[in-house]
Amino acid sequence: NVPLNAAERADLVADLMNEILGLGPIENLVADDTINDILVNGCNQVYIETQGVLKESAVRFRDNDHLMQIIDKIVSRVGRRIDEASPIVDARLDDGSRVNAIIPPLSLNGPVLSIRKFGRQAIGCTDLIANGTLISEMLDFLKAAVVAKLNILISGGTGAGKTTLLNALSGFIPNGERIITIEDSAELRLAQPHVVSLEGRPANVEGAGEVRLTDLVKNSLRMRPDRIIVGEARGQEAIDMLQAMNTGHPGSMSTIHANTPKDALSRVEVMVGMSAAGFSERATRALIAGAVDLVVQLTRLPDGKRRVVSVSELVAVDEEAIRICEIFCFEQTSIDEQGRVLGRFKGGGRPPACLNHIHTFGIDLPAGLFEISRETQ
């Protein structure tokens, strides 16, 4: 009996439908392709990120119980749970968008929900070039490296675009190969016809039934893979991944959180040390150098743009560390009045050692490819 005009009635119906079938107040944010991140800090504070800029949204929840209902709806869809016994959960939306939730008593602000959105259309290599993430010469080399089955580690900070680049590079894998992807929460979207996706599982209420990534990596070796793609190496699975790369599964790829290529290799070294393998430091470095061929470093710059700032090759192991040689890099020169980072992509000046291996696959790269210097903004 409440008098409503047509617009108000349409809004009410939409809100009710979102509440029943969707994600309540944040359904419209999830549907907005211009939004990259949705960050809910309790019922009264919702932030969104668009074009690398974080700003507060007008969206609100009724109360914390309302927010908990939405979180329960998200995590239950993928067979996860969240309660006082398990107050942290990783999940995903139907489109593969990454979800993390943490609730009291660990969170003092009430339930906190973080959604890293994936676009409905996967970002391809042409989009990466158009966005200035990298240039065509770098992409040509990385394409050749993927086809030639070099093992690639993609490194970067949170939100740098590691998974996006991994998805794009995986598009160069020939269709005739069997690919096995291993992730904590399935995010990769590969276009090849022969892809087997494996996903880890947390422990149940009784604390049993957990399936770790290291278990999935070990099992994948019995599944006759041509390539193994680990969504993110963050623990003991690193040793199994390296051994797979070293024992007949070339062309594997993974991502890792690190700020520089050297930091990425140091993190892998630490993760190998977390396992029960008991390798010496020198043996660990030799294992890493023998397994990983290239490290691609991504960075999110102050203006919000993502750049491939380094493509490096592992060349040798000495007493102190693994030596790497930079094949391409991004050199920042200045920041303009609009806050945009200016710089240029540069080649390392000499062909990498892996070029001979690439030639054995019948791939010929231009002679001046590694001497380029191109301004960008």
Side-chain angles (χ1 to χ4, degrees):
N1 296 325
V2 177
L4 298 173
N5 60 36
E8 291 170 337
R9 185 177 182 82
D11 288 343
L12 177 60
V13 170
D15 287 345
L16 288 171
M17 293 297 289
N18 289 341
E19 198 66 41
I20 296 168
L21 302 175
L23 301 179
I26 61 172
E27 178 67 26
N28 291 333
L29 301 181
V30 172
D32 190 341
D33 290 336
T34 65
I35 296 175
N36 301 321
D37 286 273
I38 303 169
L39 309 172
V40 182
N41 306 329
C43 62
N44 293 318
Q45 194 176 64
V46 179
Y47 280 86
I48 59 173
E49 183 198 283
T50 56
Q51 298 180 341
V53 179
L54 200 62
K55 60 183 179 182
E56 188 169 3
S57 165
V59 171
R60 296 291 183 270
F61 292 82
R62 289 194 307 272
D63 50 34
N64 283 336
D65 289 339
H66 184 203
L67 175 53
M68 276 301 304
Q69 291 173 13
I70 301 302
I71 293 175
D72 280 328
K73 183 182 290 188
I74 293 172
V75 302
S76 61
R77 286 178 180 175
V78 291
R80 306 287 172 95
R81 65 186 180 86
I82 186 167
D83 50 38
E84 286 192 4
S86 300
I88 301 175
V89 68
D90 287 314
R92 66 179 187 279
L93 300 182
D94 294 338
D95 63 359
S97 297
R98 183 187 311 163
V99 176
N100 174 268
I102 181 169
I103 64 173
L106 300 187
S107 167
L108 303 183
N109 296 3
V112 175
L113 176 67
S114 305
I115 300 176
R116 168 69 50 78
K117 284 181 55 187
F118 288 170
R120 284 166 173 72
Q121 295 293 329
I123 295 178
C125 296
T126 53
D127 299 312
L128 294 176
I129 293 174
N131 295 338
T133 302
L134 74 176
I135 56 176
S136 58
E137 288 84 354
M138 298 168 72
L139 185 62
D140 289 341
F141 173 74
L142 290 174
K143 177 181 179 180
V146 172
V147 173
K149 293 192 171 184
L150 296 179
N151 295 319
I152 301 174
L153 187 64
I154 300 174
S155 168
T158 300
K162 300 184 295 299
T163 304
T164 299
L165 181 61
L166 181 58
N167 261 321
L169 293 183
S170 67
F172 297 129
I173 299 175
N175 286 341
E177 298 188 13
R178 176 175 169 87
I179 307 166
I180 296 181
T181 67
I182 299 168
E183 303 171 83
D184 263 332
S185 183
E187 300 168 357
L188 296 173
R189 293 182 289 178
L190 276 62
Q192 284 81 355
H194 199 164
V195 178
V196 178
S197 299
L198 305 180
E199 185 178 50
R201 186 178 69 184
N204 59 22
V205 180
E206 291 79 22
E210 180 184 13
V211 179
R212 300 172 300 168
L213 293 194
T214 183
D215 302 319
L216 295 179
V217 173
K218 289 177 182 177
N219 188 75
S220 70
L221 301 178
R222 305 184 184 99
M223 298 172 67
R224 199 262 175 216
D226 288 309
R227 311 232 186 182
I228 298 172
I229 298 179
V230 180
E232 184 181 337
R234 64 180 76 181
Q236 298 180 22
E237 67 275 4
I239 180 65
D240 302 297
M241 181 184 69
L242 293 175
Q243 289 179 331
M245 291 176 174
N246 261 328
T247 55
H249 299 91
S252 299
M253 292 186 277
S254 183
T255 68
I256 190 171
H257 272 80
N259 295 324
T260 67
K262 287 186 177 179
D263 289 345
L265 298 178
S266 296
R267 277 210 68 201
V268 174
E269 204 173 321
V270 169
M271 288 189 286
V272 172
M274 292 166 60
S275 70
F279 292 147
S280 67
E281 288 186 5
R282 186 169 183 81
T284 300
R285 290 175 190 144
L287 177 65
I288 296 170
V292 180
D293 296 302
L294 300 175
V295 179
V296 181
Q297 182 68 40
L298 280 152
T299 296
R300 183 176 176 179
L301 300 176
D303 60 359
K305 285 193 174 181
R306 282 89 167 169
R307 303 266 196 214
V308 174
V309 296
S310 173
V311 178
S312 304
E313 178 186 35
L314 280 65
V315 292
V317 181
D318 57 29
E319 294 295 332
E320 298 298 327
I322 300 169
R323 287 198 293 115
I324 60 176
C325 180
E326 204 160 58
I327 302 171
F328 295 100
C329 71
F330 174 76
E331 184 180 80
Q332 181 177 331
T333 55
S334 62
I335 298 179
D336 67 11
E337 295 177 354
Q338 286 76 39
R340 294 178 300 180
V341 175
L342 307 179
R344 60 177 175 266
F345 288 103
K346 295 171 53 181
R350 60 179 182 178
C354 63
L355 199 58
N356 290 333
H357 176 79
I358 292 174
H359 285 161
T360 63
F361 280 76
I363 303 170
D364 292 320
L365 296 172
L369 185 70
F370 308 103
E371 298 174 0
I372 55 102
S373 180
R374 184 173 304 167
E375 301 285 335
T376 188
Q377 62 178 21

